[in-house]
Amino acid sequence: MKKIILLVCLLPLSTLLRAQSSEKDLIKKTEDAAKTIDDTIPNGWKSIGKVTFLFNQANFNNWIAGGENSFSGNLGLDYKIDYKKDDYTWENRILASYGLLQTQNSNFEKKTDDQLEINSIVAKKTKSYWYYSFLANFRTQFSQGYVYTKDVNGAEIREENTNFMSPGYLLFGPGMYWKKTDNFKINLAPLTSKITFVDNSYTSVPGYVDGSYFGVDANKSMLYQLGFNATAYYKFNIMENVSAENLLNLYSNYLKDPQNIDINYTLNIIMKINKILSANLNFQAIYDDDAFAGFQTKEVFGVGLNYSF
């Protein structure tokens, strides 16, 4: 009877140990499979790119409900070029877009989009999905940005407030890179330098208040920060022919107000119609208290013509 009781007590323990052993074997097999796949990727350069043109038009003729004729177009480039040499990888991505809106009753063409961003990360594989890494990121815009108001007579006027490299941002620093697949990866960089560049003509105007133009002091053209940077990328299919791409960047400045975390989040939803046509939605949200005390948001949606190369 004692042997039966002992056997009954030991049976669940034995089952638990076998389950733990099976789980460890599964984890090891998964890691080995991931390493095998990674090892089979050939050394050398690999590149892929896509050019997209989004357009939107509205036309009214004797339309009693009212309306204003308008046309907008947006040209975008997404280019990836990667290099692999054994345990070393070098991943690069260039994102560029520019868009204009022309309405019937406006004297000015207005921008709907203006972005130039270059991401680069050098990594050396360690174990499993982890890499030692060094990240560099550069962001700016192509042309002047304006604030639009009206004069005393109600006419539309504009005042320039941004330009190419004003602002411009450069981030770089070492860290650890976790990459499960090309569609899911995270980089953590605890010692990231961030340099903000501006044209000092904006900071040299009479009565300028230190830090009021993207955090840069009077008569200066640069702001240096040191802090923690985290970037994440996740792409998945919502349904057949509909994909969602998420890019998130977080930055905390150790030197001033580290609790104020800069946020830059981008969502790209692509609804593929065929090889050439797609409906594209781009949403971006930015929080940077050096630039603006609140969230900046941008949304661009339209039918796109795509060319891949």
Side-chain angles (χ1 to χ4, degrees):
M1 186 63 179
K2 291 182 179 179
K3 291 182 179 180
I4 294 174
I5 294 173
L6 181 61
L7 181 61
V8 171
C9 292
L10 291 176
L11 186 59
L13 179 60
S14 175
T15 304
L16 178 61
L17 291 174
R18 284 199 303 272
Q20 291 178 337
S21 177
S22 299
E23 184 179 359
K24 291 180 180 178
D25 290 341
L26 180 61
I27 293 173
K28 187 178 186 306
K29 288 179 181 178
T30 302
E31 292 176 349
D32 290 342
K35 186 177 187 304
T36 300
I37 293 173
D38 188 62
D39 289 342
T40 58
I41 298 175
N43 289 332
W45 292 96
K46 179 178 69 173
S47 66
I48 184 172
K50 182 173 70 172
V51 176
T52 302
F53 176 66
L54 300 178
F55 56 90
N56 191 299
Q57 181 189 14
N59 186 64
F60 302 90
N61 186 25
N62 299 324
W63 191 254
I64 302 215
E68 184 177 4
N69 296 344
S70 66
F71 177 83
S72 65
N74 185 294
L75 184 64
L77 169 70
D78 185 350
Y79 184 58
K80 300 177 184 178
I81 179 168
D82 300 336
Y83 179 77
K84 181 178 184 297
K85 178 66 175 178
D86 301 329
D87 288 340
Y88 291 89
T89 60
W90 183 21
E91 299 177 5
N92 302 277
R93 186 176 186 182
I94 301 172
L95 297 169
S97 57
Y98 193 82
L100 290 173
L101 167 69
Q102 179 64 64
T103 57
Q104 182 181 12
N105 298 321
S106 176
N107 296 324
F108 306 108
E109 290 182 336
K110 298 178 181 178
K111 290 194 295 185
T112 57
D113 199 5
D114 189 358
Q115 175 191 18
L116 173 62
E117 181 171 355
I118 301 173
N119 293 286
S120 184
I121 184 167
V122 178
K124 183 185 185 303
K125 190 172 181 60
T126 59
K127 294 182 178 180
S128 185
Y129 303 119
W130 285 99
Y131 297 74
Y132 300 116
S133 67
F134 188 90
L135 170 76
N137 171 271
F138 170 75
R139 290 187 292 123
T140 188
Q141 62 191 52
F142 287 103
S143 66
Q144 297 97 327
Y146 299 93
V147 174
Y148 294 88
T149 56
K150 292 186 178 181
D151 63 17
V152 293
N153 298 318
E156 188 176 38
I157 58 175
R158 65 183 185 179
E159 180 181 359
E160 181 182 319
N161 72 326
T162 58
N163 207 334
F164 176 73
M165 286 300 292
S166 191
Y169 299 100
L170 177 64
L171 287 84
F172 56 91
M176 293 297 295
Y177 185 39
W178 184 86
K179 179 181 176 182
K180 186 173 184 180
T181 67
D182 285 337
N183 293 329
F184 188 23
K185 42 196 176 183
I186 298 170
N187 188 76
L188 304 175
L191 290 174
T192 299
S193 294
K194 179 181 179 181
I195 303 175
T196 303
F197 302 95
V198 301
D199 189 324
N200 61 8
S201 63
Y202 296 105
T203 63
S204 301
V205 296
Y208 178 80
V209 178
D210 281 352
S212 60
Y213 190 74
F214 298 98
V216 181
D217 288 340
N219 302 310
K220 302 293 185 181
S221 61
M222 188 180 73
L223 170 67
Y224 176 80
Q225 297 174 313
L226 178 68
F228 180 89
N229 183 73
T231 58
Y233 175 86
Y234 181 45
K235 182 179 180 180
F236 64 96
N237 292 325
I238 300 174
M239 60 182 69
E240 186 177 1
N241 294 328
V242 180
S243 64
E245 182 184 52
N246 299 269
L247 300 93
L248 176 65
N249 182 281
L250 304 175
Y251 186 81
S252 173
N253 178 26
Y254 298 143
L255 306 180
K256 182 182 178 182
D257 298 327
Q259 72 279 3
N260 294 347
I261 299 175
D262 295 345
I263 302 171
N264 189 341
Y265 170 71
T266 300
L267 169 65
N268 294 312
I269 296 180
I270 301 174
M271 293 158 275
K272 186 177 179 181
I273 301 172
N274 54 40
K275 290 183 178 180
I276 299 175
L277 289 174
S278 66
N280 299 347
L281 170 66
N282 174 271
F283 173 79
Q284 185 174 12
I286 295 176
Y287 179 83
D288 183 350
D289 59 347
D290 289 326
F292 176 74
F295 272 97
Q296 307 168 60
T297 61
K298 178 193 71 175
E299 179 186 326
V300 179
F301 178 75
V303 176
L305 296 172
N306 306 295
Y307 172 73
S308 299
F309 59 94

